[in-house]
Each structure stands twice: as structure tokens, then as C-alpha cells.
Amino acid sequence: MSSESNAGNARPGRTVTIDPVTRLEGHAKITLHLDNEGRVADARFHITEFRGFEKFCEGRPLWEMPGITARICGICPVSHLLASAKAGDRILAVAIPRSAEKLRRLMNLGQILQSHALSFFHLSAPDLLLGMDSDPASRNVFGLMNAEPELARSGIRLRQFGQEIIEALGGNKIHPSWAVPGGVREPLNSEAGERLKARLPEALETVNGALDLFRKIASRFEEEANALGDFPSLFMGLVAEDGSWEHYDGKIRFVDADGTVVGDGLDPGDYRSFIGEATENWSYLKFPYYKPRGYPDGIYRVGPLARLNICERMGTPRADEAWAEFRKNGGGRPVSSSFHYHHARLVEMLAAVERIGILLDDPELVSEPFRAEAGINRLTGVGVSEAPRGTLFHDYTVDRHGILQKVNLIIATGQNNLAMNRTVLQAAQHYIRGSTIPEGLLNRIEAGVRAFDPCLSCSTHAFGQMPMRVALFGPEGERLDERTRD
Amino acid sequence: MAVNTFTLNGELVSASPGATVLEAARENGVEIPTLCELEGLSNIGACRLCLVEIAGSPRLQPACVTATTEGMEVRTDSERLRQYRRMILELLFAERNHVCPVCVANGHCELQSRAIDNGMEFVRFPYQHPDLPVDITHARFGIDHNRCILCTRCVRVCDEIEGAHTWDVAGRGTGSRVITDLNQPWGDATTCTTCGKCVEACPTGAIFRKGSSAGEMEHQRDRIRFIADARSKREWTP
Ligand code: SF4
Ligand code: FES
């Protein structure tokens, strides 16, 4: 695990230490710190979950890594599976069969679709449609079911469609070990392919309907859009060679808040030359930053918003239109409010549906071979993929037989860590007047953090609200107020 | 030919002389769970999963190495036996690092199947979490000691069928380990003929074909019996 200390980042005031005894299991813990003028000077979103995956992968054979790492996250196993298999491809030093690449792409699109559908219809739509101050007891997918039954139902079906793609390829398992170093284990059988094709029109209709709806309600959320993580930052992600949207391969691009490309054509394998990883003693999650700008100025965002901000087009007709409309939010510059992650997800769902259609018609999808065989030809390999939540890196070092010696993972939520903290800070600055925590702040923080769709167990309760504890500290470190909800 | 007549689970059955309780039970359609036993190899009674009750004997006896005798009364299933079997399985799971979901033999593992068949729902003993190596120095195969249950099938198949005796056991107690040659990396074991019989014989994912990912390692365990029958009975078709 690489961990660079951030000695240069001197924060004034008290050091907050995470006390594992008092921490509430599954609660998002947030501390806010006032300065002498009574303004919120610092906000920290503490991640106290530690799973130590990198450590216990060491000693395992390379070929087992996709299966092992797919278990890191129950929400996006496919992303880890692909990044891991790709790191394996690099170590075998093979170009995988074209069919295998297309099959992997198909699975990733299924993953993006199902994950975004979950995020939008199950987790965010209740906030957006029922209002952020509506009764928390019904501000969930069940409440949505009552208010907008058609929407809720079609959203659930859209998610199922994405999951069906994953299952059709990887088998009926939650954690498929289907992608392997060198390719994939099985192709798509033609029967499943036909079944999936038949579901495309409905999927398209659902996404279009959701986009229409979003257009209608977006204006209601102007205050939130301005107070929810609207700050300048860099954006990072993969782009295709021709500058279009990419989710599986390609090169890394960094764009700044003005839309200037500050880093382009970067090889993901060299990520260490442009991404630094800082650590803070109050969070187990590392804080990646863009190296040339230093820490924490090198703050960057990844995920749907970033991917749409860095690319020049989506590459499919309907999504291209939706993308152009989305980019208008930025008025010629990248779209900066984290609130627009929601909109970005919808555009990506549209792109995913279109691309799935193209892939399902591709005869190469079923042409053998599907797996390249090779031994250990390199001792290091970096695999990268665009997970629904952003760019994911798997960096492996093996011995000459293929036993893992070192593993470093850079996950999307980690890369959004700085931005999530900034979002919480911004919400706090906007809503806190004086030394108490107003009622509505927790909802805003929740919505702000959820916009990133972070894959933290505490933030992904599909039903009901995010359990949260927010504490407000004065300039001397005295506790002024605290609000907890379960 | 004279036969032994004895009682199996309350029913009178017969067995050819010299047959073990396990063989006689199988002949009569009675299943006894086993792990270290593999048809075609000698039996050593290592795992104790096949324990049965024999009237008049205060101790439980392993069916795979207990000969049938005239008039004996055998019980292959009782609450006591089920408890012991579960305990044996739990001890096997606690002793090393068996992580089924990411194991190459997931879904094709005898240890896993026995645990399921015998209703092992949890492990009451503290996991030992030993720090054990994986050896993939061999060109085609690998051995993961985390998943080895020391059944010695690999040792026996290599010695008795292949005649190479590459495998053996070193150390004592929980420190025991299967080794290749004189405890050299498998890739350096000059006696290994790369026949792959140990790969087919292994009940778990401990010995595997290199390149296998989770759940991908299927064994053809009946090949061992086929080879043994071909040799001893001149039966050339499986
Ligand atoms: S490696 Fe397999 S066959 Fe050999 S003793 Fe261990 S479990 Fe048994
Ligand atoms: S099968 Fe009889 S002791 Fe193992």
C-alpha cells in the first residue's frame, strides 16, 4: 500500500481521532469545525471502515485475483473483476482476443446501467421527486412507489436489465469470476443475446422518460445545485482515442474547472507519476490528488460528472444529444455542481443502452477464441476500468511465478474523497448560522454525499435514510452541538 | 464363495470376505461420508469422517479400514455420529484457510460438499489462520497449503499408481505439510512426471491446474479408480 504523508498540509486547531469504541457502526461520522469568526472552516467526512483487502491479496496466485477482488464490493463487483483481469492481461503481456474485449465491455455497460439505475431510481429519486424536506419515513423507494408507481417500477426493471446482462455473461452469481487474465471464460450464448435484445426498447424508453422527468424538476433544485458541491476542481477519467466517452480502456485525461485539458493521453499504467495518495489520521480512506497541483489543491472528481466533463462526445446519437444538453449546465465550462451527477448518470444510462444494442448486434461477440493463454511475462501490471462511480485502478506486483507480492487499489470513492469533504463543507457553510446544527442540514449533507453515490456501506442503505452523526466544534475544539439519526 | 453376514442399520446384509465396512455399505446402497478415501487407492483412515458405531465396541471405528466380520452390528447414522462428523468437518475448516467463495474448487470440492451434506452451519472452534504458502513453481500445477486437509491422497496416488513418490508428508501435528521431493519447490522436484494424477485426486482446491480462477477447478476423481481397475482387473473402459 502506498501512503504518502501530507506533512505540508498543516491544519490548525484540534486533532480529531477516531475512537473505534464510540463510533457508531454504519453511521457516517461528520465533524464540522468553526473558526474564530464562527464560520465553518473545516468539514471532515470520516471513513472508519477498514477492510484491508490489499494486504490479504498478497501471496495469492494472479489468476485468482479477479474472483477475490470482485468481493471487495458487493455493489460493483464487475468493476473490480475487470480492472483485476486487465492488470492480469498486462502481467501476461497479452493482447486479449477482440471478442473477449467486447464481452467485457458488454458486462461493464450492464454494470454501469444497473448501478446508475439503483442510484437514480432507488436512492436519489425519492429526494428529487418527493422533496428533501419530506417525511424521511416515506422518502425512500417505497414512498416513491406510492407517489410515482410507474416510474419506480420501470426503474426497478431497468436495473434488472443491467443485472441480467451481467448474469447472462458471468453466470447466476453475485460475484462472478468470469473475466480472467487473458480474456473471459465464456461467451454470451445466442439465446441470452436474443432475450436481452428484446428488452432494449423498454430500457430506452425508461431512460428517456427519466431524462424528461429530470428536465422538469431540475429547476426546483437550484438552491441545492448551488450549495451542493458546486466548487471548482479537476475532473479525471478515461477517454477514447477519438476523445469520446470511454468506460473500459483508453487514456487518462484531466480537465480543470475552466475546461482546459491539463493532462492528456496519460497511460493509466503510469498513474503514480500523476496521482499522489495522501493519508489523514481521521480517515481510513486515502486521499488521492493530481500530483502536479499538490495536496490538497490537486483535488479532482471522478465518475459520471467527470467522464462527461472530460469527453468531447458520447459516441452514440441519442447520448450525444443528451450530453450536449447536459453540458449547457456548465455554460461553456465543465459542469461543476455535484448535484449534476444525477443528470450525468442519466446521460450515461442512455449511452449504455445504445452501446449495449450495438454490441448485441456484433457478430464478433461470439467468435472464438475468448481467452489468451500465457505465462508470467512481466512482474507488474496496472489494470484500469471506469466503474459506475469512477476510475478504478488495480496495481499488482508478482513474483516470476505469478504470486502477488504487492497490491495497490485506487477506488473511485477514494478519489472523490476530497470532493465529498468539500461538498460537506459547502453545505455546512451554507446552512449553519451560529453554533447549532439546523434540522435540514443532515438531509443536505446526505444528498450531497449521495450525489457521489459513494460505495460506503453506511451510505448505501437503499431503504430509508443514511444513518449519520454530525458534530460541531468551536475554535477551541469545544463541542457545540451534535445531531444523530439512525 | 463364503460371505460374511452382518447387520447394517438393523438390516441383515452380506459382504464378500475381506470387504471393509465401507465397501459392504456401498454394495448395499448405504452412503457413508468419506474424505481421505479414494477408490483405487489404499486406505489409511486419516480423516475419521467415515466413523461408524459397532455394537460391543465402545469406540467408533473408521469404516474405510474396518473389515466386516460375521455377525457384527453396524450403525452408520446416529445423532452421535452426526455430531462427530460435524465436529471433524469444523476442525478441518478451522485448521487452515478455506475461503470457499474465492476458491478454485468452489462447487467441486469434497470438503465443501461434505460440510453441506452433514449440515455444518458454522464452525464453533476458533479459526487458526495459519500463514501458509502457495507454491506455483511447477509449470502446470500449483499447491495451496491453505486448502490442504492432509488426506494424503496425492501422496498415495503418486506412490501407488504413478510410482513416482514425489509427494510425502513432513512435520508433525498441525505443522504437518505435504511436500514434493525433499521439501523442494514443486517446480524443482525432479521425480515429478507431470502426470496430473494428484490434481485429479485432491478432494479440495489444494492442488490445482495453474491459471484456474474461482470455481474453475473441476476434478476427474474417478479417473484414479479407472486406472487402478485397468491395471488390476484389465478393464479398459471406464
Ligand atoms: S494436497 Fe490435496 S490430496 Fe494432497 S493431502 Fe492435501 S488435500 Fe489431500
Ligand atoms: S474416509 Fe475413512 S478415515 Fe477418511
Side-chain angles (χ1 to χ4, degrees):
Chain A
M1 265 186 265
S2 91
S3 53
E4 290 176 31
S5 70
N6 47 292
N9 172 46
R11 284 177 192 271
R14 257 168 32 107
T15 317
V16 179
T17 327
I18 302 162
D19 177 356
V21 181
T22 56
R23 79 173 193 237
L24 300 175
E25 201 51 64
H27 281 61
K29 187 183 166 196
I30 288 154
T31 53
L32 308 170
H33 305 260
L34 299 181
D35 64 12
N36 289 325
E37 275 76 55
R39 282 185 310 245
V40 183
D42 195 10
R44 297 174 182 183
F45 182 45
H46 303 253
I47 312 280
T48 54
E49 314 249 328
F50 180 71
R51 302 189 69 180
F53 257 100
E54 289 157 321
K55 208 70 213 157
F56 67 65
C57 291
E58 289 169 15
R60 301 308 313 167
L62 175 68
W63 298 271
E64 293 181 10
M65 287 299 284
I68 294 174
T69 57
R71 303 192 71 82
I72 289 179
C73 171
I75 310 157
C76 49
V78 171
S79 314
H80 286 288
L81 183 76
L82 294 181
S84 180
K86 287 183 74 183
D89 301 342
R90 292 274 185 129
I91 288 173
L92 304 187
V94 293
I96 68 167
R98 284 166 62 90
S99 53
E101 181 185 327
K102 288 183 176 171
L103 288 158
R104 286 184 184 176
R105 281 180 176 275
L106 180 60
M107 186 183 257
N108 204 33
L109 292 167
Q111 158 81 350
I112 289 172
L113 190 59
Q114 75 88 10
S115 174
H116 284 1
L118 175 73
S119 165
F120 185 79
F121 292 96
H122 293 229
L123 302 177
S124 307
D127 276 350
L128 298 176
L129 290 175
L130 309 175
M132 294 203 194
D133 293 315
S134 65
D135 180 6
S138 58
R139 193 156 43 83
N140 52 38
V141 73
F142 298 120
L144 186 69
M145 203 65 123
N146 282 332
E148 301 271 353
E150 245 340 286
L151 179 81
R153 231 174 271 134
S154 63
I156 290 169
R157 286 183 56 78
L158 186 66
R159 173 158 193 243
Q160 279 169 349
F161 176 57
Q163 281 169 321
E164 243 184 69
I165 294 174
I166 298 169
E167 274 169 28
L169 291 164
N172 213 344
K173 300 214 180 80
I174 315 167
H175 300 289
S177 178
W178 165 81
V180 287
V184 301
R185 271 159 62 164
E186 310 260 1
L188 180 72
N189 75 47
S190 55
E191 200 186 305
E194 291 308 314
R195 209 178 55 234
L196 292 172
K197 259 190 231 172
R199 293 195 62 170
L200 277 166
E202 188 199 337
L204 194 60
E205 198 185 317
T206 302
V207 179
N208 277 329
L211 265 166
D212 282 342
L213 184 80
F214 191 83
R215 280 183 199 109
K216 269 186 239 142
I217 58 170
S219 57
R220 278 192 233 152
F221 291 92
E222 250 158 53
E223 188 186 354
E224 273 82 6
N226 294 330
L228 272 187
D230 189 3
F231 50 83
S233 79
L234 300 170
F235 296 96
M236 187 203 85
L238 291 171
V239 281
E241 226 167 281
D242 65 357
S244 62
W245 183 76
E246 179 57 71
H247 63 98
Y248 171 80
D249 220 348
K251 291 279 195 301
I252 296 282
R253 178 181 281 178
F254 280 89
V255 165
D256 72 9
D258 297 322
T260 311
V261 176
V262 295
D264 202 11
L266 302 170
D267 180 355
D270 291 336
Y271 76 91
R272 279 179 198 283
S273 69
F274 51 86
I275 295 176
E277 288 182 275
T279 53
E280 295 277 7
N281 62 1
W282 46 268
S283 178
Y284 279 127
L285 202 57
K286 287 179 271 190
F287 291 81
Y289 59 96
Y290 182 53
K291 254 189 186 166
R293 298 250 164 131
Y295 179 81
D297 293 342
I299 173 173
Y300 65 91
R301 282 179 270 183
V302 296
L305 183 69
R307 287 192 289 257
L308 264 54
N309 276 332
I310 59 165
C311 72
E312 291 144 39
R313 75 190 75 86
M314 296 303 283
T316 46
R318 288 190 181 87
D320 274 339
E321 270 173 43
W323 174 81
E325 187 193 340
F326 165 84
R327 287 293 297 263
K328 285 201 193 115
N329 292 316
R333 300 166 57 206
V335 182
S336 67
S337 168
S338 297
F339 176 77
H340 291 298
Y341 266 100
H342 299 301
H343 191 176
R345 252 173 235 125
L346 290 169
V347 178
E348 288 201 325
M349 282 194 256
L350 191 56
V353 172
E354 282 185 295
R355 284 173 185 243
I356 289 166
I358 295 169
L359 279 170
L360 288 174
D361 278 333
D362 189 330
E364 218 172 23
L365 210 59
V366 291
S367 58
E368 289 192 84
F370 305 106
R371 186 171 180 173
E373 305 276 350
I376 302 300
N377 292 311
R378 277 194 202 128
L379 298 185
T380 57
V382 175
V384 66
S385 79
E386 284 291 340
R389 293 159 186 80
T391 321
L392 171 67
F393 296 88
H394 278 213
D395 178 5
Y396 302 163
T397 305
V398 297
D399 70 6
R400 69 188 179 87
H401 301 291
I403 295 282
L404 265 296
Q405 308 294 305
K406 231 173 89 200
V407 175
N408 190 40
L409 309 177
I410 302 189
I411 57 167
T413 297
Q415 296 172 91
N416 282 331
N417 202 358
L418 280 170
M420 283 194 295
N421 279 281
R422 193 73 63 87
T423 301
V424 173
L425 176 65
Q426 202 181 24
Q429 284 172 336
H430 190 85
Y431 292 100
I432 287 193
R433 301 272 171 271
S435 57
T436 55
I437 302 171
E439 176 76 46
L441 181 64
L442 270 62
N443 288 351
R444 263 65 187 198
I445 289 179
E446 172 173 1
V449 170
R450 266 212 177 132
F452 291 90
D453 193 18
C455 51
L456 312 161
S457 61
C458 55
S459 59
T460 47
H461 289 277
F463 307 114
Q465 58 188 354
M466 186 191 291
M468 193 188 296
R469 184 166 63 161
V470 180
L472 182 65
F473 293 94
E476 309 302 329
E478 69 280 19
R479 185 179 295 251
L480 300 174
D481 195 9
E482 180 168 316
R483 257 180 205 277
T484 304
R485 66 174 201 204
D486 294 299
Chain B
M1 197 165 45
V3 293
N4 285 330
T5 310
F6 70 103
T7 318
L8 184 64
N9 297 335
E11 287 192 32
L12 264 190
V13 296
S14 58
S16 27
T20 62
V21 172
L22 179 65
E23 285 161 346
R26 280 192 186 148
E27 254 171 58
N28 288 284
V30 172
E31 271 293 318
I32 300 175
T34 58
L35 265 178
C36 67
E37 181 268 353
L38 182 66
E39 284 187 279
L41 302 182
S42 63
N43 284 316
I44 52 158
C47 75
R48 314 311 268 186
L49 201 63
C50 66
L51 289 175
V52 293
E53 291 174 355
I54 295 177
S57 163
R59 283 169 41 203
L60 302 173
Q61 304 288 346
C64 67
V65 289
T66 303
T68 48
T69 52
E70 183 64 30
M72 79 194 309
E73 282 174 42
V74 180
R75 290 229 138 259
T76 65
D77 191 26
S78 69
E79 191 42 45
R80 177 168 165 230
L81 286 172
R82 280 197 290 266
Q83 269 189 19
Y84 272 105
R85 285 175 189 151
R86 270 203 295 274
M87 198 190 292
I88 289 164
L89 288 163
E90 286 172 36
L91 286 165
L92 285 173
F93 273 93
E95 191 170 325
R96 298 212 174 168
N97 306 305
H98 299 276
V99 190
C100 298
V102 296
C103 175
V104 292
N106 188 15
H108 318 285
C109 171
E110 290 182 39
L111 179 64
Q112 186 185 43
S113 306
R114 289 305 89 77
I116 295 167
D117 301 343
N118 288 277
M120 190 198 93
E121 285 168 352
F122 57 92
V123 172
R124 77 195 89 162
F125 308 107
Y127 284 95
Q128 300 301 299
H129 297 299
D131 190 6
L132 292 167
V134 182
D135 177 354
I136 50 173
T137 56
H138 191 281
R140 291 183 45 206
F141 313 127
I143 160 98
D144 181 351
H145 294 278
N146 293 287
R147 303 171 182 150
C148 173
I149 57 169
L150 295 170
C151 68
T152 71
R153 283 185 188 182
C154 53
V155 179
R156 283 173 284 151
V157 79
C158 188
D159 177 43
E160 297 167 13
I161 310 272
E162 180 62 9
H165 203 131
T166 302
W167 290 101
D168 215 319
V169 181
R172 337 186 84 200
T174 51
S176 306
R177 273 227 226 134
V178 286
I179 53 165
T180 38
D181 277 6
L182 295 169
N183 203 4
Q184 288 147 296
W186 194 354
D188 296 342
T190 49
T191 60
C192 175
T193 63
T194 311
C195 72
K197 292 191 181 70
C198 54
V199 185
E200 304 302 349
C202 182
T204 68
I207 302 183
F208 55 92
R209 274 182 286 280
K210 249 164 87 171
S212 303
S213 57
E216 209 181 6
M217 185 53 223
E218 294 187 41
H219 303 77
Q220 290 190 306
R221 297 179 182 116
D222 51 357
R223 296 297 293 169
I224 306 302
R225 183 200 174 160
F226 166 66
I227 298 170
D229 284 351
R231 227 174 253 179
S232 59
K233 302 183 192 158
R234 311 261 149 210
E235 285 170 7
W236 301 107
T237 43

